[in-house]
Amino acid sequence: YAELTGSVVVLKGACTVVAGPDGRARLSDAANAMLATAGTGDVLAGLIAGLLAQGMTPYDAASTAVYLHSDMGRRVAESHGTAAGLAQDLLQVLPDARRLLESGSSASSSSMPDFGGMGGLGGAGGGMGGGMPDVGGGMPGGQGGPPGF
């Protein structure tokens, strides 16, 4: 779908997928049940928009936002539990999660910190460095999803 529409697509779920129009994709398996709460997708959309406004490319903004969002969900789950957290609680931990990016304050992909929990599904190259490489030649035919779909 990302290739067809020429856009970056985020499919939020237990394994969130960030797909680019060039066939690259990243997978985050760091989500928790707290992020299944009403309104948390709106927080993710706001994170993406904020990172775009700071000059990140759409693909890196979406990938970074997914990482921050999962870290924020982890922080809220640790303090409130997965069933008791609300979307607004994510905003309370945003400053702590945002500090993860301070070591790579430039918006360029080569200076992004190691994000660990996200891996590439395919693509032409690039990636955010560290734990988020894009590997391989893309998904067959430029379509499909994570292995097993």
Side-chain angles (χ1 to χ4, degrees):
Y1 187 80
E3 284 184 3
L4 179 68
T5 61
S7 59
V8 173
V9 176
V10 177
L11 177 62
K12 180 179 173 276
C15 288
T16 298
V17 177
V18 179
D22 57 1
R24 291 183 296 164
R26 291 182 175 137
L27 177 66
S28 171
D29 59 1
N32 64 55
M34 191 273 140
L35 295 176
T37 303
T40 60
D42 297 324
V43 173
L44 176 58
L47 288 170
I48 295 169
L51 292 168
L52 285 169
Q54 294 177 49
M56 281 191 161
T57 66
Y59 188 70
D60 283 346
S63 298
T64 302
V66 165
Y67 175 78
L68 287 172
H69 191 249
S70 65
D71 184 71
M72 292 160 58
R74 178 191 58 79
R75 291 171 189 269
V76 170
E78 286 175 357
S79 64
H80 295 66
T82 57
L86 302 172
Q88 67 190 28
D89 296 328
L90 293 173
L91 302 178
Q92 301 299 316
V93 298
L94 175 58
D96 293 330
R98 181 68 173 89
R99 283 189 197 96
L100 293 171
L101 302 181
E102 288 179 359
S103 64
S105 59
S106 169
S108 74
S109 62
S110 63
S111 65
M112 295 303 295
D114 180 354
F115 287 160
M118 292 181 78
L121 290 177
M128 296 178 71
M132 292 185 66
D134 290 316
V135 295
M139 293 181 201
Q143 298 183 26
F149 275 16

